[in-house]
Amino acid sequence: MAERHKKVRGMHDILPEEISKWQFVENIITETVKHYGYKEIRTPLVEFRSLFERSIGAETDIISKEIYAFQDRKGRDIALRPEGTASVVRAFIDSGISSSRKISRLFYYGPMFRYDRPQKGRYRQFYQFGVELIGGSHPFFDGEVVVMLNAITERLNLKKSSILVNTLGCSKCKERYSALIKDYFSTKDTFLCNDCGRRMQTSTLRILDCKNPACKKIISEAPVINKILCGECQDHFKKFEEYLQINNVPYKVDPHLVRGLDYYTKTVFELYLQGDENAIAAGGRYDNLIHQLGGPNIPAIGFAVGMERLISLSKYEGLTEKIFYLSCMGKSAELKGITLINELRREGIPIETDYEENTLRSHLKTANRLKARWCIIIGEDEIKKNEFIVKDMFSGEQMNISFDNYINRIKELLNAEKP
Ligand code: HAM
């Protein structure tokens, strides 16, 4: 027997029976962000590696351990995108969108790649739905973005455990805070894990994000930023909180919240849902990134949702698809059935059947497996009466439809049904 091919570790298939749930969630998020004025942007899966190094940071885990990088045939250093923000900013600068409007609200959706350690909710290829609001520095933009994330969870009826928020301050505050944190951890460095030992030299702030139990205890007593924030950063965070409070967004300030990407300044946030200890979505402000990547000096804020994590917690009854299933029992019913199925298909009506089944029970089982919303039933009795039965697989109700004018009746059923 020929050798079977395995999936590459950390990759996963999304099978036909899961697709409806994915599409349901994708549609709700897309619809929500469009209500807030976001327009879609699609960027390539591959970029020059240097783009990610300069934005996410060469010392971050994403770049130093997880990037999928290779050389193309001309020896250029290329990488599969590990996230979307850097590519969106690159496209934003490249295309000159920056000069055409003051505020750009952009959304994107697609696979990202990180050579992470695969485990529940952690893949090497995963989908992100991301938004970037470019051009606005007012703290109410930060509030609006978090309100929109909250709206997504509400529309999906998801149980939040928390939206954690914090500020990292402007570059000057961030620098001062890093120095303070470095002083604090340098007195405890013998108790820190090896990774944090390395972070002491490269990115001290990221020690605050360590999940090692021994480090967590030390982190809990680390100094917090709010004492050393400049007046403008304090005011920004206060107004951001006001926006959330006015809009009844349940949030908690986590004074040690930092992010695993270097570009953030000021507001950062993470969304946690009941049933998953990983962040479902995360983001923040990145006021210096566009300038750092060769664009104009304009601020921005955004977030990305991890779709696998979100979908695993979303409830989608997914009872039915808008399709018909045909079940014929008996020779004359079968002949009538093949005319009907082909006429309906010609009219653009989705309908399936299995010519090898011959009992109602087995047909209904197949219809259920396909999640067909309606099952058309034709038996010898129906042929005698020149009609057939349509069973609504959702409600269980049945109706009789005459063979004389059935196409319009079937179209009415299909069109009355919301997706
Ligand atoms: P991030 O925190 O690296 O931020 O990723 C955002 C979300 O992607 C995470 O909260 C998580 O749900 C999901 N995610 C990350 N890694 C994995 C993985 N290995 N497997 C499954 N899901 C994963 C960013 O990527 C930023 N670009 C977000 C942003 C947009 N900030 C501003 N604008």
Side-chain angles (χ1 to χ4, degrees):
M1 210 158 59
E3 191 194 337
R4 276 170 63 174
H5 294 271
K6 290 196 183 120
K7 289 197 289 271
V8 174
R9 188 164 141 79
M11 308 290 163
H12 64 101
D13 302 309
I14 305 169
L15 300 171
E17 51 267 34
E18 300 163 81
I19 285 291
S20 310
K21 186 173 181 184
W22 276 76
Q23 288 172 343
F24 168 78
V25 176
E26 287 160 7
N27 287 342
I28 288 198
I29 305 183
T30 311
E31 218 176 79
T32 311
V33 304
K34 281 185 177 171
H35 290 158
Y36 283 77
Y38 284 76
K39 304 261 184 300
E40 186 173 4
I41 180 165
R42 297 185 188 180
T43 63
L45 297 192
V46 292
E47 299 276 358
F48 288 113
R49 179 187 175 130
S50 54
L51 171 70
F52 301 119
E53 279 175 355
R54 284 192 206 136
S55 49
I56 298 167
E59 302 295 341
T60 58
D61 284 357
I62 298 180
I63 299 300
S64 64
K65 297 187 189 163
E66 299 166 4
I67 191 103
Y68 274 91
F70 55 97
Q71 290 197 327
D72 71 6
R73 287 173 188 274
K74 289 248 167 85
R76 287 173 289 227
D77 286 320
I78 303 289
L80 295 182
R81 61 181 187 189
E83 56 107 54
T85 309
S87 305
V88 169
V89 168
R90 198 250 330 118
F92 175 83
I93 299 169
D94 257 9
S95 63
I97 309 177
S98 53
S99 49
S100 62
R101 51 201 298 178
K102 183 174 172 269
I103 307 285
S104 300
R105 289 179 170 86
L106 305 168
F107 77 87
Y108 52 92
Y109 178 56
M112 309 292 161
F113 303 85
R114 294 184 193 177
Y115 197 83
D116 223 329
R117 192 145 47 89
Q119 50 193 283
K120 186 177 169 284
R122 199 170 283 280
Y123 302 94
R124 289 183 177 169
Q125 177 182 316
F126 57 96
Y127 283 76
Q128 275 189 352
F129 192 107
V131 298
E132 311 296 348
L133 186 152
I134 302 179
S137 61
H138 197 286
F140 285 178
F141 286 117
D142 310 28
E144 186 192 278
V145 160
V146 175
V147 164
M148 184 169 77
L149 177 59
N150 190 51
I152 291 171
T153 64
E154 281 177 353
R155 285 201 60 196
L156 286 167
N157 250 325
L158 292 164
K159 287 208 176 75
K160 269 180 291 293
S161 58
S162 51
I163 298 179
L164 301 181
V165 303
N166 192 22
T167 177
L168 301 176
C170 59
S171 349
K172 284 197 183 129
C173 291
K174 199 173 161 184
E175 220 169 274
R176 273 206 305 280
Y177 186 50
S178 293
L180 187 68
I181 284 289
K182 193 163 190 166
D183 282 351
Y184 168 77
F185 284 116
S186 58
T187 62
K188 328 252 177 225
D189 57 353
T190 48
F191 305 103
L192 295 173
C193 70
N194 290 342
D195 276 347
C196 286
R198 191 172 41 79
R199 289 177 189 130
M200 275 298 282
Q201 308 312 318
T202 56
S203 42
T204 329
L205 273 189
R206 216 159 297 117
I207 298 178
L208 295 175
D209 200 25
C210 184
K211 304 289 180 271
N212 181 305
C215 297
K216 269 176 131 175
K217 168 98 188 37
I218 304 170
I219 291 164
S220 65
E221 285 156 21
V224 292
I225 195 169
N226 55 357
K227 305 244 159 52
I228 57 147
L229 281 180
C230 69
E232 205 252 306
C233 287
Q234 276 182 30
D235 194 42
H236 188 100
F237 195 60
K238 198 165 146 249
K239 289 210 171 82
F240 162 62
E241 284 196 76
E242 270 167 23
Y243 195 100
L244 298 185
Q245 286 157 8
I246 289 167
N247 286 286
N248 296 319
V249 175
Y251 72 93
K252 270 190 228 141
V253 179
D254 173 353
H256 291 134
L257 178 71
V258 287
R259 307 272 306 113
L261 303 94
D262 275 356
Y263 48 65
Y264 292 113
T265 47
K266 294 189 179 164
T267 312
V268 285
F269 52 91
E270 290 184 347
L271 164 76
Y272 289 82
L273 296 176
Q274 279 178 22
D276 196 339
E277 56 195 29
N278 293 310
I280 304 295
R285 189 165 264 292
Y286 50 96
D287 285 349
N288 303 326
L289 182 62
I290 299 169
H291 195 47
Q292 264 167 27
L293 293 179
N297 195 1
I298 45 178
I301 180 163
F303 66 76
V305 180
M307 290 298 282
E308 283 77 2
R309 294 180 188 177
L310 184 73
I311 282 169
S312 74
L313 297 174
S314 301
K315 281 175 261 10
Y316 168 63
E317 300 312 333
L319 286 173
T320 55
E321 302 271 354
K322 280 180 72 169
I323 54 170
F324 289 82
Y325 179 83
L326 172 68
S327 56
C328 297
M329 277 78 54
K331 187 119 189 78
S332 44
E334 273 173 11
L335 292 177
K336 196 82 180 162
I338 54 179
T339 321
L340 175 133
I341 195 170
N342 286 306
E343 280 190 358
L344 289 179
R345 281 176 175 160
R346 258 201 304 277
E347 291 292 327
I349 292 159
I351 175 160
E352 290 198 34
T353 193
D354 182 344
Y355 300 112
E356 287 167 4
E357 302 292 0
N358 49 21
T359 65
L360 183 58
R361 198 157 166 259
S362 57
H363 272 306
L364 289 176
K365 222 162 135 188
T366 311
N368 271 328
R369 195 170 45 75
L370 291 171
K371 295 189 174 156
R373 175 63 200 259
W374 304 275
C375 187
I376 293 179
I377 302 168
I378 315 178
E380 298 302 322
D381 269 3
E382 284 68 43
I383 298 289
K384 278 183 210 144
K385 292 189 210 152
N386 191 37
E387 60 183 30
F388 57 86
I389 297 170
V390 177
K391 182 178 166 86
D392 184 327
M393 301 293 283
F394 184 45
S395 64
E397 280 166 22
Q398 296 196 168
M399 70 184 85
N400 293 6
I401 295 182
S402 160
F403 274 110
D404 291 338
N405 181 25
Y406 65 88
I407 291 182
N408 285 341
R409 295 290 312 277
I410 294 287
K411 278 188 178 166
E412 275 165 25
L413 279 179
L414 192 68
N415 295 334
E417 185 59 22
K418 297 229 163 55

